[in-house]
Amino acid sequence: MSEKGHQMYEASLFKDKKLIKTPNLLDLESARKSFSWDKYWQEIETFENGKMNAAHNVIDVHSVGPNRNKVALYFEGDDGKTEKYTFGEMADLSNKFANVLKKLGVRRQDRVFYFLSRSPELYVSFIGTLKVGAIAGTMFPAFGEDALRDRLLDSGAKYLVTEEQLKERVYKVRDQLPELRHIIVVKKGADSSKGEICYETEMEAASSKFTIEKMDPEEYTYMLYTSGTTGKPKGVVHAHGGIVQQYLSSKWVLDLQPDDTYWCTADLGWVTGIVYGLMGPWANGISQVGYGGRFKPEAWYNVIQKYKVTVWYTAPTAIRMLMAAGDEVPKRYDMSSLRYLCSVGEPLNPEGVKWGLKVFGHPFNDTWWQTETGSILITNYPCMPIKFGSMGKLFPGIEGAIVDEEGKPLPQGAEGDLALKPGWPSMMRTIWKNEKRFNEYFRNGWYITGDTATIDKDGYFWYVGRADDVIKTSGERVGPFEVESALVEHPAVAEAGVIGKPDPLRGNIIKAFVMLKPGQKPSDELRETIQTFVKGKLAGHAYPREIEFVDSLPKTRSGKIMRRVLKAKELGLPIGDTSTLERD
Ligand code: WT7
């Protein structure tokens, strides 16, 4: 979009934001000028000698005093059953789980992984894991066996919390996981003959008193695997000290206030679920809704109506799906509780922002961040006019720029690599067991995000695209290498190249170009078999919705598949520099 195009959207919407409350952050520029992280550390309770524990700030501080009986979690299961947990109950239950782990011999910074659907047990045990000083790792319940094995193997997880419906997938790769010692099964699904531990039995026997481990702010809290252009997913590791920023961004960006009921729609298997569906809002003592059911417009609107959700954080693909379901659907529900809406994960088109205004009386406010950044860094704020289609402005205390290939900042308006000055509290500390990969993120003292963007004269950031081959499909991040690896494991496939193909609903879909082995014939049946195969290995969202059978793939002389050429051909764009392309 041209600079002129941006201006067209500049007409201030501020007056239409219909802010019902005075926002927590009143003036972005003055906050930026006087900003220091030290100031906000005062709002985070720590122990003696600079020790801390994020779980203390998330739950325990609220379990004493006026919030003890305040609802921390309203949980709505797939079956429509509601459960409620107060901050006091969450504190007691997470203490119990901490004791369960202690009894099993957990040590500080051991990895405790989760392959569990969204459930109260997941919130409880996640916090319990932090309390014992171990590192929590969540995995999306739709993961297939390869995705699971890669994560459990690389992290060296000793403990796994799972459930009856999911555990069989773990057993398929169990013999490849020498470090995995204990499998804890929730909802009474444990098989003691296999040495599985029953969550309920252990929880019942455990004490609800626990002395929380005192951690260094640099010790790790949670880790999440995410995809890049090459190689297997990498383990992004976060530290206890990140809580100050998780707390402050929830307060200023999501504008969470004491009487809010807040709903983040993301699964706890992704960073949004962990940071803004658990840690940040609870660090502010806010009541949250957790919904364990599947996406369906009616079900989602029902959640908003039933719990009188006031602040709602969701994603562009969901917004587009709700839009597609029609404006009459939300009219059948009471949406009047909503007061502030936010979005994350992929570009939010101006239509989405405006649709929020039309249907709910409030725009969706775009927010930008990544698994690696650990919290929202570029965003809209309630106190700031929205420019339709812009991601908004930098969070106070954060320095950002658009840089060139050498890491030199470019002039205002130029398109280039979106870069940030490292060192903010919630930033990843390392890539698990891979310092080399971690170091590859940096160029000339800047953290390089992998996105391209521009900055306008008012300091608003505009997303352009990914600088690498990472695919964003329905807001989920998928690495083409993982999909290609899964494809070539299929006996009929010789080689495969994978790209993101723009899609009006999902942002992108995964498209695979597949070269079959000699003697194999392309057919619709084979296409479906390959798709099902990849779903089983990776995840429901990571399979190629489109497969095109080809006779050859464009490759460099060193044999690397040129995805750039595949993409250009698919989109009918000029192929560009092909000087390294292999020729017969
Ligand atoms: C990538 C990070 C942490 C949030 C969930 C995604 C894309 C994120 C936006 C936005 C355009 C966005 C970027 C980014 N992205 N937010 N507001 N507008 N693109 O975390 O899975 O680590 O993905 O998501 O490409 O680099 P993630």
Side-chain angles (χ1 to χ4, degrees):
M1 230 186 290
S2 67
E3 180 69 25
K4 217 166 156 210
H6 296 168
Q7 297 299 319
M8 284 180 3
Y9 297 126
E10 200 163 339
S12 168
L13 250 187
F14 190 46
K15 63 177 183 345
D16 292 330
K17 270 201 173 182
K18 297 198 182 140
L19 299 175
I20 294 166
K21 285 170 177 278
T22 308
N24 287 329
L25 179 70
L26 282 171
D27 181 347
L28 179 64
E29 295 318 317
S30 66
R32 193 188 306 290
K33 276 191 202 113
S34 63
F35 191 85
S36 86
W37 285 111
D38 286 349
K39 192 159 131 194
Y40 297 98
W41 267 110
Q42 309 302 319
E43 296 179 29
I44 296 294
E45 200 172 280
T46 53
F47 309 124
E48 278 167 22
N49 305 322
K51 298 287 184 209
M52 62 170 306
N53 190 313
H56 177 76
N57 310 104
V58 169
I59 289 294
D60 287 2
V61 287
H62 309 293
S63 72
V64 289
N67 279 344
R68 178 158 184 88
N69 297 320
K70 178 173 178 175
V71 173
L73 179 67
Y74 294 99
F75 189 80
E76 167 113 358
D78 212 0
D79 50 6
K81 215 178 93 200
T82 303
E83 293 173 66
K84 265 195 245 180
Y85 296 85
T86 62
F87 280 100
E89 287 166 335
M90 287 307 278
D92 292 349
L93 287 166
S94 52
N95 279 348
K96 275 173 171 271
F97 190 74
N99 281 316
V100 171
L101 287 177
K102 271 265 144 129
K103 187 176 147 197
L104 293 173
V106 81
R107 286 193 310 232
R108 257 169 115 103
Q109 305 285 274
D110 272 350
R111 276 75 62 211
V112 180
F113 267 57
Y114 294 86
F115 188 42
L116 199 54
S117 331
R118 219 173 321 177
S119 54
E121 292 84 354
L122 181 49
Y123 296 82
V124 164
S125 51
F126 185 96
I127 294 158
T129 302
L130 268 49
K131 284 186 170 179
V132 294
I135 307 171
T138 58
M139 297 185 292
F140 188 48
F143 278 155
E145 54 201 84
D146 284 13
L148 277 174
R149 183 208 44 222
D150 291 348
R151 287 160 174 79
L152 291 168
L153 187 63
D154 185 74
S155 65
K158 275 193 210 158
Y159 302 83
L160 177 70
V161 186
T162 185
E163 67 193 50
E164 196 167 13
Q165 288 74 15
L166 296 174
K167 71 183 188 187
E168 289 319 316
R169 250 178 269 166
V170 180
Y171 279 106
K172 289 212 172 118
V173 293
R174 177 79 177 87
D175 58 352
Q176 300 172 52
L177 302 168
E179 291 180 80
L180 181 60
R181 276 199 230 139
H182 300 286
I183 299 183
I184 303 170
V185 183
V186 306
K187 298 190 194 105
K188 301 200 165 72
D191 180 349
S192 53
S193 72
K194 286 186 174 157
E196 291 171 2
I197 295 148
C198 173
Y199 176 91
E200 284 74 20
T201 311
E202 294 300 320
M203 286 291 277
E204 208 170 307
S207 159
S208 59
K209 302 270 174 290
F210 183 78
T211 309
I212 199 164
E213 286 290 324
K214 314 287 186 291
M215 310 301 288
D216 186 276
E218 290 305 301
E219 283 182 281
Y220 305 146
T221 40
Y222 74 95
M223 62 190 285
L224 268 177
Y225 282 80
T226 195
S227 303
T229 293
T230 54
K232 299 267 191 195
K234 41 197 173 174
V236 174
V237 186
H238 288 281
H240 280 268
I243 193 68
V244 65
Q245 197 168 358
Q246 297 173 334
Y247 158 80
L248 193 64
S249 56
S250 300
K251 185 168 170 174
W252 283 358
V253 179
L254 304 173
D255 194 40
L256 296 174
Q257 306 196 22
D259 56 352
D260 274 319
T261 302
Y262 162 76
W263 181 31
C264 169
T265 60
D267 192 90
L268 269 71
W270 307 116
V271 77
T272 309
I274 292 182
V275 176
Y276 296 110
L278 196 161
M279 299 183 75
W282 277 344
N284 283 274
I286 302 299
S287 301
Q288 301 196 59
V289 176
Y291 172 59
R294 289 182 161 269
F295 173 83
K296 239 185 105 193
E298 288 82 1
W300 274 33
Y301 293 134
N302 184 52
V303 167
I304 294 169
Q305 170 178 275
K306 185 167 168 186
Y307 299 96
K308 299 193 170 49
V309 171
T310 55
V311 180
W312 183 27
Y313 196 20
T314 190
T317 292
I319 296 169
R320 288 189 292 264
M321 288 181 173
L322 293 174
M323 281 170 79
D327 297 1
E328 318 75 53
V329 191
K331 286 201 184 110
R332 300 204 299 266
Y333 298 82
D334 183 0
M335 298 285 102
S336 62
S337 57
L338 289 172
R339 74 165 183 90
Y340 200 66
L341 321 178
C342 293
S343 163
V344 69
E346 43 176 329
L348 174 65
N349 4 22
E351 294 71 30
V353 185
K354 290 180 193 164
W355 182 72
L357 256 176
K358 182 168 94 183
V359 176
F360 307 111
H362 308 281
F364 281 99
N365 290 268
D366 197 11
T367 70
W368 177 96
W369 61 298
Q370 308 178 294
T371 307
E372 294 89 336
T373 69
S375 70
I376 299 166
L377 295 192
I378 299 170
T379 184
N380 289 277
Y381 307 80
C383 64
M384 187 179 94
I386 290 177
K387 293 193 192 185
F388 292 125
S390 161
M391 303 191 286
K393 290 192 183 186
L394 287 165
F395 195 80
I398 306 294
E399 198 186 326
I402 304 300
V403 303
D404 65 13
E405 305 85 68
E406 279 154 26
K408 296 217 181 69
L410 291 167
Q412 181 257 303
E415 188 178 311
D417 291 323
L418 173 58
L420 302 154
K421 262 278 132 76
W424 60 91
S426 72
M427 185 178 175
M428 67 169 161
R429 296 309 197 265
T430 189
I431 295 293
W432 189 255
K433 290 202 301 206
N434 203 339
E435 200 64 18
K436 187 173 158 273
R437 282 257 341 252
F438 178 68
N439 292 332
E440 283 167 10
Y441 279 97
F442 303 93
R443 194 189 299 161
N444 191 29
W446 290 94
Y447 162 77
I448 306 295
T449 62
D451 288 339
T452 53
T454 62
I455 309 175
D456 73 14
K457 62 175 180 23
D458 303 315
Y460 282 72
F461 285 68
W462 299 80
Y463 183 81
V464 175
R466 289 285 314 184
D468 55 18
D469 291 341
V470 166
I471 302 164
K472 273 279 168 168
T473 178
S474 300
E476 318 284 18
R477 184 162 155 184
V478 177
F481 177 79
E482 295 161 67
V483 185
E484 289 161 0
S485 308
L487 281 165
V488 296
E489 282 183 56
H490 189 279
V493 176
E495 286 181 312
V498 164
I499 59 161
K501 175 180 172 180
D503 179 79
L505 194 61
R506 294 188 166 80
N508 294 283
I509 57 159
I510 299 171
K511 168 149 190 179
F513 296 86
V514 168
M515 214 176 102
L516 293 174
K517 284 191 179 152
Q520 296 289 343
K521 294 233 156 18
S523 71
D524 288 344
E525 202 186 329
L526 181 58
R527 180 178 287 117
E528 272 173 42
T529 318
I530 296 173
Q531 285 171 327
T532 312
F533 178 80
V534 178
K535 264 189 215 172
K537 295 223 159 258
L538 293 178
H541 65 271
Y543 81 97
R545 278 179 192 268
E546 254 182 50
I547 293 182
E548 184 174 328
F549 294 113
V550 292
D551 296 331
S552 67
L553 287 164
K555 281 199 225 145
T556 61
R557 276 182 229 121
S558 60
K560 260 175 72 182
I561 292 165
M562 293 181 90
R563 299 185 190 114
R564 184 169 56 80
V565 174
L566 289 172
K567 186 142 186 172
K569 275 193 182 154
E570 179 67 35
L571 304 180
L573 297 170
I575 289 169
D577 180 11
T578 55
S579 57
T580 59
L581 193 65
E582 177 193 62
R583 280 172 225 277
D584 302 321

